[in-house]
Amino acid sequence: MTPTRHCVAAGQLLTLPARAGQLARCASGVLWLTAGDGDVVLRPGDSYPVPADGPLLVEAADQGVLLLETPNAHASRRPRPLRYPGLGRGAVWVLG
């Protein structure tokens, strides 16, 4: 899924609805995030997994850009074994 892009001005406080499992990624600037019971400071290239559903507070030390990504459900799936009886006892194919 395409991330949502949020531009945050210096000193601006932004409140975003967030869901557990989303990934907050700093594209530029220095961002202070508050989610759940904790705070984290992100610099360009840093990311933070949102721990719980609820508001995500974002403040920028200088102008910054936050990307909020929702993981693709199919990308995180592990391949599961497929049993094919025609290959004999115990044969397993893994499709991914």
Side-chain angles (χ1 to χ4, degrees):
M1 177 175 239
T2 303
T4 55
R5 181 182 175 93
H6 303 277
C7 295
V8 188
Q12 177 185 8
L13 179 63
L14 187 63
T15 303
L16 302 171
R19 301 190 69 67
Q22 285 185 307
L23 190 66
R25 185 179 308 279
C26 180
S28 66
V30 176
L31 304 173
W32 181 320
L33 277 60
T34 302
D37 293 334
D39 295 320
V40 65
V41 175
L42 300 181
R43 289 178 171 69
D46 291 346
S47 61
Y48 173 72
V50 176
D53 292 355
L56 175 66
L57 305 177
V58 183
E59 187 172 2
D62 52 356
Q63 184 172 345
V65 175
L66 176 78
L67 303 175
L68 194 56
E69 303 173 7
T70 301
N72 183 345
H74 299 293
S76 62
R77 284 181 46 200
R78 300 175 104 191
R80 53 191 175 112
L82 174 67
R83 302 204 182 274
Y84 186 73
L87 293 177
R89 183 177 175 95
V92 175
W93 287 359
V94 176
L95 302 177

